Amino acid sequence: MADASAASHDTYRNDTVPANFFQQCTGNVGRNINNITVLHDRCSKPPPSSTVPFRRDDHFVTRDSLEKTQRICAIPADCAALVGLGGVGKSQIFIEYTYGVRNLSPTKWAFWVHAGTQARFEEGSRRIATATKMDGWNNPKADMLRLVRSWLWEESNGQWVIVVDNTDDSEIFFPLLDRSPASRASNPGQAAELLSDFLPQSSNGSILVTSWSQDMAFRLTDSYASVLGFKQMDEGDALVLLQKKLGFHADRKNATDLLQALDRMPLAITLAAAYIAQRAPCMTVSRCLYEICRSDDAGARLLKNVVGHSRSQTILHLPLPESYL
Ligand SMILES: Nc1ncnc2c1ncn2[C@@H]1O[C@H](COP(=O)(O)OP(=O)(O)O)[C@@H](O)[C@H]1O
Ligand SMILES: [Mg+2]
């Protein structure tokens, strides 16, 4: 849905208009030079885009939490948090959500910040600065966190949604005072502030948080109503996911038994499906189930053997349900 501001962006982005066109229109050289400067500034501001570093998943299986997130975020300035074990599908819901938002409202920005470490949080902020080309974005001495926060506050910059993924380590966001990452930061101006202070709750946008920790999610969103506990898939969704990932129709009884052994966790289902598909026809759903059940550590071996899963390396270091380990 294009709106008036998008149309004006396009006008400003029209580089083919010769500079002297403006002078000819008004006949006032001094003022025209200013006009051209203003236009040039706006020309260099890109239209809203996304910094989400993942492709949309064609195999996405919709879940209740997506709809709940949409409901919560329909109210401007609201936050939502998904809390659950690694591999339960938190990030996937928000990836899908951001693509949905951009499809419905192309004038909205979608940002993604990995918050597993302070360095990654800062890297995510730098990506926001680069995508928006906010003033100071290319100044190596600029305080990126402050720049980004000010930009997010400024209403004229438009609407945004920001996903703060993997806010698992409370030390990063709420450290004991003398150990604050901000107090250790190279920029002394940042010293008094917590990293959480750089997530402004503004009427321009919504903040979406993923975490293992209910407490962290609450502290970042400031509302228990916004914190959604996230568990494994129900049987129907898990079956759909397995069939989509396998690319062929498996016997329902075998598939249900395999899903049971995998605790109906989306990551495990995805990895098991890849394991089967890569080795078919030697490997089947029932053979895979047999391997998992055969020894205590087969589940872990299964997960580690599967290659090419973009986020599995990270996820394997996260707390997984005991049955995989
Ligand atoms: N709703 C879903 N539809 C399809 N695949 C999913 C879904 N949720 C999770 N997955 C699969 O499981 C993997 C792990 O999910 P992810 O969102 O990264 O888990 P978490 O963020 O909770 O650790 C994803 O990479 C994806 O392959
Ligand atoms: Mg995740």
Side-chain angles (χ1 to χ4, degrees):
M1 191 175 61
D3 66 10
S5 67
S8 64
H9 253 121
D10 286 340
T11 311
Y12 290 128
R13 281 162 54 80
N14 186 351
D15 299 336
T16 59
V17 179
N20 68 2
F21 169 82
F22 301 105
Q23 292 176 4
Q24 286 160 12
C25 288
T26 66
N28 179 330
V29 175
R31 239 179 62 216
N32 285 327
I33 288 170
N34 287 338
N35 281 349
I36 291 165
T37 309
V38 169
L39 284 165
H40 182 264
D41 264 4
R42 296 197 189 176
C43 277
S44 59
K45 299 294 179 201
S49 61
S50 163
T51 69
V52 175
F54 306 108
R55 276 197 308 268
R56 196 172 197 173
D57 188 350
D58 293 339
H59 299 137
F60 180 75
V61 177
T62 197
R63 300 175 75 181
D64 282 358
S65 305
L66 179 59
E67 201 206 315
K68 286 186 188 154
T69 304
Q70 285 160 340
R71 235 179 299 133
I72 291 173
C73 296
I75 303 163
D78 244 329
C79 303
L82 288 180
V83 176
L85 289 167
V88 77
K90 304 178 295 293
S91 305
Q92 200 66 44
I93 292 289
F94 285 159
I95 292 168
E96 183 63 24
Y97 177 77
T98 54
Y99 277 94
V101 161
R102 293 270 309 140
N103 269 356
L104 267 176
S105 320
T107 54
K108 246 188 199 178
W109 294 89
F111 301 128
W112 193 278
V113 175
H114 191 296
T117 62
Q118 167 140 0
R120 294 201 71 177
F121 188 87
E122 287 173 357
E123 182 191 315
S125 302
R126 244 190 315 279
R127 287 216 177 113
I128 296 175
T130 306
T132 55
K133 301 256 188 299
M134 62 184 65
D135 295 340
W137 72 276
N138 54 356
N139 175 358
K141 295 206 176 118
D143 180 340
M144 273 311 149
L145 295 183
R146 280 171 198 279
L147 272 190
V148 170
R149 179 173 57 186
S150 306
W151 188 95
L152 294 172
W153 271 120
E154 178 53 56
E155 236 173 80
S156 64
N157 290 323
Q159 295 278 307
W160 47 263
V161 54
I162 180 167
V163 178
V164 190
D165 196 23
N166 295 0
T167 61
D168 305 314
D169 186 353
S170 63
E171 269 291 290
I172 292 172
F173 283 90
F174 305 102
L176 298 171
L177 280 177
D178 57 334
R179 291 200 282 147
S180 144
S183 73
R184 295 195 302 261
S186 48
N187 192 332
Q190 236 171 266
E193 293 187 86
L194 295 173
L195 213 52
S196 53
D197 295 333
F198 292 96
L199 294 173
Q201 296 195 358
S202 132
S203 56
N204 299 345
S206 312
I207 298 174
L208 305 179
V209 167
T210 74
S211 184
W212 307 334
S213 154
Q214 180 105 1
D215 181 52
M216 275 293 288
F218 171 66
R219 292 173 83 179
L220 288 170
T221 58
D222 227 7
S223 148
Y224 275 120
S226 306
V227 177
L228 309 174
F230 204 39
K231 296 220 161 63
Q232 63 264 63
M233 288 180 138
D234 66 32
E235 193 176 298
D237 290 345
L239 262 174
V240 174
L241 178 61
L242 181 66
Q243 306 282 14
K244 281 187 173 186
K245 293 283 178 191
L246 282 175
F248 61 85
H249 193 79
D251 172 81
R252 191 182 172 102
K253 167 83 174 77
N254 290 342
T256 311
D257 290 348
L258 176 63
L259 292 170
Q260 192 66 29
L262 296 171
D263 276 349
R264 300 197 305 269
M265 289 289 277
L267 172 63
I269 298 168
T270 303
L271 297 180
Y275 181 77
I276 295 165
Q278 280 173 10
R279 290 161 181 79
C282 307
M283 181 55 60
T284 62
V285 169
S286 52
R287 170 86 205 167
C288 178
L289 175 62
Y290 169 76
E291 285 196 5
I292 289 175
C293 299
R294 197 179 44 184
S295 76
D296 285 346
D297 66 349
R301 259 209 325 275
L302 168 74
L303 297 181
K304 283 175 183 148
N305 278 341
V306 178
V307 289
H309 189 278
S310 60
R311 279 175 284 151
S312 61
Q313 286 310 311
T314 321
I315 293 162
L316 284 170
H317 294 104
L318 308 185
L320 290 163
E322 276 179 9
S323 49
Y324 306 161
L325 305 173

